[in-house]
Amino acid sequence: SKFGAMLDMLTDRCATMCLLTTLSTFYPSFLFLFQLSMTIDISCHWLHVHTALLQGSTSHKFIDPTGNYWMKLYYTDRKVLFAMCAGNELFYAMLYLSYFTSGPLYMFYILAVLCFPVAVLKSAIACLQGYLAAVNLVGIDTKEREEVKKE
């Protein structure tokens, strides 16, 4: 349902934001990077969902098959989507746990290092998502203005 999809996205965004604010207190020298991550995550997803609704899409996960290759791969291949989301959240969770302990055999540190590139890539994908949504929104605005001029 539309309500379920919105609730799912809001829960994900808010939970990640809470974790990032906690990490900001644990690692104050990385405060700006955590803030940047939150800003990219919230703004790009919001712009994407809002634009998808204005375009009449049934889901923000529906991607035009003729559209951007990376966004199509991200949203249509469940394994890719799962790996990106899990890797991103695992990175932040390992930073959280590493604040208290290194884990058995430094496992928390190792997993954080291994998942770091996934977190960076997920932010890059979010930026691409935001850019494409902005381009689509400009297209919507342009079309609406042209229709008003015709009247």
Side-chain angles (χ1 to χ4, degrees):
S1 72
K2 289 181 176 110
F3 176 73
M6 185 61 71
L7 189 59
D8 178 55
M9 192 186 71
L10 284 172
T11 303
D12 289 347
R13 302 282 84 75
C14 290
T16 300
M17 195 169 16
C18 289
L19 180 55
L20 287 168
T21 56
T22 301
L23 291 174
S24 296
T25 64
F26 290 172
Y27 307 102
S29 59
F30 295 103
L31 173 67
F32 176 74
L33 295 175
F34 293 132
Q35 289 173 328
L36 183 61
S37 181
M38 285 185 273
T39 301
I40 289 169
D41 190 42
I42 296 291
S43 62
C44 292
H45 276 89
W46 185 85
L47 185 59
H48 175 69
V49 169
H50 185 68
T51 302
L53 287 173
L54 290 175
Q55 289 176 313
S57 181
T58 56
S59 169
H60 72 281
K61 292 183 180 179
F62 172 77
I63 299 296
D64 180 3
T66 62
N68 183 276
Y69 170 79
W70 298 110
M71 293 309 303
K72 189 169 54 170
L73 176 67
Y74 183 76
Y75 277 116
T76 59
D77 188 329
R78 288 189 171 276
K79 293 176 186 172
V80 171
L81 182 61
F82 175 79
M84 294 301 298
C85 293
N88 185 62
E89 295 304 317
L90 190 59
F91 170 68
Y92 293 128
M94 292 304 101
L95 287 180
Y96 180 86
L97 293 173
S98 293
Y99 181 77
F100 301 104
T101 178
S102 61
L105 302 173
Y106 298 97
M107 187 58 65
F108 299 157
Y109 292 150
I110 293 167
L111 285 172
V113 170
L114 291 175
C115 291
F116 174 71
V118 177
V120 171
L121 183 58
K122 188 161 186 309
S123 286
I125 289 172
C127 288
L128 175 62
Q129 181 183 49
Y131 169 76
L132 294 172
V135 168
N136 289 338
L137 191 54
V138 168
I140 291 168
D141 283 343
T142 302
K143 184 179 176 184
E144 286 178 357
R145 286 185 181 142
E146 288 173 358
E147 289 174 2
V148 167
K149 286 180 183 178
K150 288 179 183 178
E151 293 175 2

